[in-house]
Amino acid sequence: MANRSLFLKLLSAFVVFGAWEIAGRIPVSYAFPTFFESMAALFKMMFDGSLLAAYAETLKPLAIGILISAFLGIAIGLWIGLSGWFDWLFSPIFIVMQAAPLAALIPLLVMMYGIGLTSKVFVVCIMAMPVIVLNTAGAVRNTPSSLTEMGKSFLASKAEVITKIIVPAASPVIFSGLRLGISAGFIGAILSELKITPTGVGDIITYSRSIADYATMYAAIFSIIVLAVLFLNFLEKIEKFFFAGNVRGYASD
Amino acid sequence: MLQTDNPVQDLPAGHGHSVASSNSSANAVSVRNVSKNYGTVEALKDLSLEFPKGQLTSLLGPSGCGKTTLLKIIAGLLEPTSGEIEVDGRSVDGPGPDRAFVFQDFALLPWASVLRNVSFGLELRGVAKSEREDIAAKYIADVGLAGFEKSYPHELSGGMRQRVGLARALSVDSDVLLMDEPFSAVDEQTRRKFQEDLLSLVANENKTFIFVTHSIEEAVYVSDQIAILLPRPSRVSDIIRPSGLREKDSRSIRRDPEYLDIVDEIWESLRSYVE
Amino acid sequence: MKVFGIRLPGMSSLLIWGLLWEIFGRSGLSFFVPPLSDVIATLFEVIGTPAFQKALYETGYAFVAGVFFAVSIGIPTGILMGKNRLLDELLLPWVNIFLSAPLTALVPVLMVLFGFGMKSIIITTTLFAIWIIILNARAGVMQINRSLVEMAHSFGATPWAAFTKVYFWAALPEILGGVRIGIIRAVKGVIIGQLLISIVGFGALFELYSNNFLMSHFWAVLLVLFAMAFTISEVLAYLERRVSYYAAKR
Ligand SMILES: Nc1ncnc2c1ncn2[C@@H]1O[C@H](COP(=O)(O)OP(=O)(O)OP(=O)(O)O)[C@@H](O)[C@H]1O
Ligand SMILES: [Mg+2]
């Protein structure tokens, strides 16, 4: 069974990359390099160190932005989930942010904070924060009431109900909010490198496009997508590992 | 023989004030004229009931008649819309260490092991870790879960989870145990075993048990006093004391003619509400 | 939230935020944040201008076209994946990859392949929306109760009748859930596409306003955009609730 699934995955990868190779050979467009050309460019960048340097640059605003969003987002989310009037006051902002195309704020951020790191961190934050806040608040609100009642009947203080029952009960959903936030943060980080100032991977993409070195451009894009997908899958694995029983254990039968 | 006398509680709704407070020493828990409304739904209406100390009282009634509601009001988890609860002569305004609750839906922490779940009540009372885990281990063994201390709730069957909830309530050593259908998910063999254990628990420990059940047979088997509740808005319709059964050997009760008579009696009185 | 026993409606706190905005704007602390009243006054001015209407039309066109392709390709693909195991195993890894991939990185490719125009923006929009639509349609088909399928067969339904009369309806709540999330993503996709290909629609408008430091204009357009996005998302959530009543009872 495991073999079949692995075989089909390889087959599916083979078909797609094969189609890419053939389309590049025809070629379907002057700007469409073959799969092997792109991979060759990727390995070249990997070995001459330029890819590593680029990622060091790209991941900086991403990491800072995610850290800020995680701390602030979880704190605000907990507060919204616990306090009725805070919920009334702040929830609408994050609900609107969640629905709105916040990317439109980028030109404004650039005017206010220039084209440096600050703006890029801001972009990551506005993309990542709403989902973290809303997931946290929702998870806190949906703590099974039988658990909080159980705590009260065994004389837990308010703080104990929060730290020993509500936060652990909410943590799987908080974590998946974090994962979705990071996913959105990646979009923001790359968007800011393409829109604000080309640095890091965004620089490789923009520069190689301008000199029509399409193989390098495709290689850079390929690498960032692979990186993001691998990292997010890794987070999902961690999530499954840590919270496996947490979700099922609520069932009362 | 069969006693269906209801000295005070038999009074029609509204006349329950006459409950003498002087007998509160013999009663561990007194419920006086309690009403509870959920919005427009009247769950309980002017309900009065006494729970004698050291005895087991069953609350028997159809689903949705307000048994859980009454139990949670006694536990201090819900405020009654009107009326008053006294535990050991003191009026209740919240949960207290004198009462422990066994939840109908178990209310186990899914991220905590059986050991931590059982010792959770003690943890909240500030008992040191090693001490509370010793106590918890003893009660885990008592409910027949020895060897499962490290398991998590999702690795247990429904009946095993229920026993964890039971062990947690027993481990805090409260005077009053509020049990909301504590045997509903265990298999019939374990259930009978538990019923026998419960009888010896009532006999040996000076605790007061308030026990919710759907099963007429179970109520008659384990109770000193059975309160039959009627559907919404709930009142006590009848109080039955199968007193003759308590002296008998727990193994032969089910063959006893008195036992069978009381079961029939209760079924006859409830039948009209089911039809 | 209750004040003096009166229930405050859900979004009413936005009025307070609007008031704070007005006060902050009037205080003149920041050149970049004009008072809300100015922004709203500008809003009515801007709405009538041909530049705004052109941007709105172009954005609406790209959005509708992008969503149309995402829905009309995504739903059948998802249903087929749910019904056919081989197809599912071949496609699912890719759907999952693109669902979590930072799609902004693909926009430069679209630009070199399809030019700096409408076509690239429409494709960006579709790419943002389609994956979640596929995944939900697939999940919807896969959760269909076996006995429902057997019922259809036992009454002698043809495959086509079974599909149109049973599968589609049984999976509808999940499908609509996917379409709702897909559309919200499409709103973001269309704006991101326009920002990167900044010669069309609101992308061009933002460029114009920010180069000339027309702050009120900028905020006015943002306000319109956010309000529209929020309305779309609420309307869809409302529609989803309307059908979800039978989701629980299948
Ligand atoms: N939180 C609540 N909000 C509104 N109504 C409620 C709530 N909890 C209970 N009720 C109503 O009060 C009535 C009594 O509920 P309760 O849970 O006490 O019944 P029960 O006798 O324990 O039933 P069961 O035997 O099924 O557990 C029910 O009709 C129920 O509809
Ligand atoms: Mg109940």
Side-chain angles (χ1 to χ4, degrees), chain C residues 7-116:
Chain C
R7 258 199 89 74
L8 294 172
M11 286 284 164
S12 53
S13 67
L14 286 179
L15 293 176
I16 296 200
W17 290 105
L19 198 67
L20 282 180
W21 180 354
E22 179 70 23
I23 294 169
F24 183 80
R26 288 214 179 279
S27 73
L29 284 174
S30 170
F31 161 75
F32 299 104
V33 185
L36 181 60
S37 50
D38 288 7
V39 173
I40 290 176
T42 318
L43 181 77
F44 288 107
E45 237 171 72
V46 166
I47 284 180
T49 62
F52 180 85
Q53 282 170 356
K54 181 160 166 289
L56 192 63
Y57 168 75
E58 283 171 347
T59 308
Y61 177 77
F63 172 72
V64 170
V67 168
F68 171 77
F69 288 123
V71 167
S72 56
I73 301 169
I75 294 179
T77 312
I79 292 179
L80 286 177
M81 282 170 69
K83 299 263 311 146
N84 184 319
R85 170 126 184 262
L86 181 70
L87 196 68
D88 187 42
E89 281 176 293
L90 285 175
L91 293 185
L92 188 61
W94 294 103
V95 174
N96 276 327
I97 285 177
F98 281 104
L99 189 70
S100 52
L103 294 167
T104 26
L106 282 178
V107 178
V109 176
L110 300 176
M111 276 152 70
V112 295
L113 289 181
F114 301 103
F116 289 69

Side-chain angles (χ1 to χ4, degrees), chain B residues 37-39 41-44 61-71 78 104 180-181 212-214 229 232:
Chain B
N37 302 340
Y38 291 109
V41 178
E42 278 189 308
L44 302 176
S63 187
C65 75
K67 304 182 295 291
T68 301
T69 305
L70 177 59
L71 219 54
L78 286 177
Q104 187 170 12
D180 197 354
E181 301 187 32
V212 169
T213 180
H214 279 149
L229 304 187
R232 274 185 287 139

Side-chain angles (χ1 to χ4, degrees), chain B residues 31-45:
Chain B
V31 174
R32 303 223 179 92
N33 309 97
V34 163
S35 301
K36 176 71 188 176
N37 302 340
Y38 291 109
T40 56
V41 178
E42 278 189 308
L44 302 176
K45 190 171 179 190

Side-chain angles (χ1 to χ4, degrees), chain A residues 4 8 12 85 88-89 92-93 98-99 101 103-105 108 111-112 187 190 195 209 217-218 221 228-229 232, chain C residues 1 11-13 16-17 32 85 89-90 94 100 102 104-105 108-109 111-112 188 191 195 207 215 219 222:
Chain A
R4 176 192 150 97
L8 282 172
S12 143
W85 80 268
W88 174 79
L89 191 60
I93 298 215
Q98 175 71 346
L105 285 172
L108 193 76
M111 283 190 275
M112 287 163 81
I187 293 185
I190 295 165
K195 177 74 191 168
R209 188 178 77 200
M217 174 183 156
Y218 278 58
I221 292 171
V229 169
L232 292 168
Chain C
M1 183 65 193
M11 286 284 164
S12 53
S13 67
I16 296 200
W17 290 105
F32 299 104
R85 170 126 184 262
E89 281 176 293
L90 285 175
W94 294 103
S100 52
T104 26
V109 176
M111 276 152 70
V112 295
K188 302 180 178 183
I191 296 300
L195 278 175
E207 206 76 356
M215 295 321 300
W219 280 108
L222 275 183

Side-chain angles (χ1 to χ4, degrees), chain A residues 146-157 160 164-166 168-170 244-253, chain B residues 72 77 95-97 99-101 103 105-111 116 120-121 123-125 153-154 158 161 168-169 172:
Chain A
S146 70
L147 287 188
T148 46
E149 269 185 359
M150 185 276 290
K152 276 186 217 142
S153 87
F154 285 105
L155 306 176
S157 64
E160 278 173 324
K164 294 193 170 173
I165 293 175
I166 292 177
N246 224 348
V247 194
R248 277 178 290 154
Y250 289 129
S252 57
D253 50 10
Chain B
K72 285 193 174 164
L77 291 171
R99 284 151 288 149
F101 204 106
F103 288 83
D105 57 358
F106 321 151
L108 303 183
L109 307 175
W111 57 87
R116 168 128 195 259
F120 193 66
E123 180 181 338
L124 294 172
R125 288 180 193 185
H154 68 97
R161 285 183 212 164
R168 177 177 58 198
V172 292

Side-chain angles (χ1 to χ4, degrees), chain C residues 217-240:
Chain C
H217 288 70
F218 197 98
W219 280 108
V221 174
L222 275 183
L223 216 56
V224 175
L225 217 52
F226 284 14
M228 283 196 305
F230 179 69
T231 310
I232 290 175
S233 130
E234 287 299 294
V235 168
L236 291 169
Y238 170 76
L239 291 179
E240 199 184 343

Side-chain angles (χ1 to χ4, degrees), chain A residues 182-245:
Chain A
I182 293 175
S183 173
F186 264 104
I187 293 185
I190 295 165
L191 183 60
S192 67
E193 289 200 326
L194 292 173
K195 177 74 191 168
I196 300 177
T197 35
T199 49
V201 183
D203 182 37
I204 301 184
I205 296 173
T206 317
Y207 177 71
S208 52
R209 188 178 77 200
S210 68
I211 60 167
D213 179 3
Y214 294 114
T216 306
M217 174 183 156
Y218 278 58
I221 292 171
F222 183 82
S223 73
I224 184 82
I225 289 180
V226 169
L227 184 83
V229 169
L230 285 183
F231 185 63
L232 292 168
N233 275 3
F234 171 68
L235 289 180
E236 209 172 335
K237 289 256 154 59
I238 294 186
E239 197 176 321
K240 286 218 176 93
F241 177 76
F242 275 114
F243 302 122

